[in-house]
Amino acid sequence: MSELVTTEFVLFLYAAYFGVEIAFAYDLLRIFRRVVGHNRLALAFEDFLYWLWVGVKAFLMLYEYHNGSLRFYTILGVCVGIFLYTVSVGALFVKYSAKLLNRTKEGAFRAAGAAGRKAENILEKPKRVMASKIYAVREMLGKKYRHFCRIIKKKLTMYYKMIKIALCKH
């Protein structure tokens, strides 16, 4: 083979690799979307960033290897790379990776919920004890308790206003 044909074949393979790379990156984006909920604005922003990245990468590849000219075999190589990745690994990769990450996420939320319930149960007894003590003090003091609470509320309000004024001045 001539050197020109060999060079073009190597560039075709590089373009196919580029196709695999961009298909893999989009699959990572698809997995992220399946694991984390999105609204339309977030989807549009993610797609914009993805296509911006693909465009810059394609431009740099064409500029570096073809002096900026667009060749048919380069486009064909990218399409072949995307196709081969999609039919071989892509669909299974997205499906099972998203399932694995969703199960991991659900397990983490389940564990966090169990830990929260356990902490709530641990703190329930001191909470009941404090509530009963406060109730006993309130019953013992009667009218004095209400007067005491009003004074404390006025003092706290005054301190709150002083802090707010001090923070707003600076």
Side-chain angles (χ1 to χ4, degrees):
M1 276 199 229
S2 71
E3 186 177 325
L4 180 64
V5 173
T6 305
T7 304
E8 289 180 352
F9 182 70
V10 169
L11 292 177
F12 174 81
L13 291 178
Y14 182 73
Y17 171 75
F18 175 68
V20 169
E21 187 178 344
I22 63 174
F24 178 73
Y26 196 73
D27 279 351
L28 291 177
L29 186 63
R30 288 174 52 203
I31 291 168
F32 178 69
R33 288 176 178 173
R34 287 184 183 187
V35 174
V36 179
H38 288 74
N39 60 14
R40 288 182 186 233
L41 183 63
L43 290 174
F45 184 69
E46 289 170 359
D47 279 341
F48 173 74
L49 290 179
Y50 170 77
W51 286 111
L52 182 69
W53 174 76
V54 169
V56 167
K57 189 132 170 94
F59 173 77
L60 291 175
M61 180 188 70
L62 291 174
Y63 181 75
E64 183 177 342
Y65 295 109
H66 299 291
N67 295 326
S69 61
L70 189 60
R71 306 274 188 208
F72 176 73
Y73 64 87
T74 307
I75 296 171
L76 182 65
V78 171
C79 292
V80 165
I82 291 171
F83 177 75
L84 290 176
Y85 172 79
T86 303
V87 297
S88 64
V89 179
L92 297 175
F93 176 68
V94 171
K95 180 179 177 182
Y96 292 113
S97 297
K99 276 186 180 180
L100 176 69
L101 289 175
N102 278 327
R103 284 185 184 161
T104 304
K105 180 178 76 169
E106 289 167 4
F109 282 138
R110 215 175 298 119
R117 284 188 298 277
K118 187 159 182 94
E120 202 174 82
N121 290 339
I122 290 171
L123 295 175
E124 185 63 32
K125 186 175 180 182
K127 184 174 120 182
R128 277 188 272 126
V129 168
M130 283 303 295
S132 67
K133 299 289 184 196
I134 291 172
Y135 180 75
V137 168
R138 192 169 73 191
E139 287 297 314
M140 185 177 73
L141 294 176
K143 287 184 180 179
K144 291 180 183 177
Y145 174 77
R146 285 192 295 274
H147 180 68
F148 176 73
C149 287
R150 284 188 197 124
I151 291 172
I152 294 294
K153 183 179 177 185
K154 285 181 184 178
K155 291 281 187 186
L156 288 174
T157 304
M158 182 182 68
Y159 289 133
Y160 171 74
K161 287 180 180 178
M162 287 173 43
I163 291 170
K164 189 174 176 184
I165 289 170
L167 289 176
C168 289
K169 283 185 177 180
H170 300 294

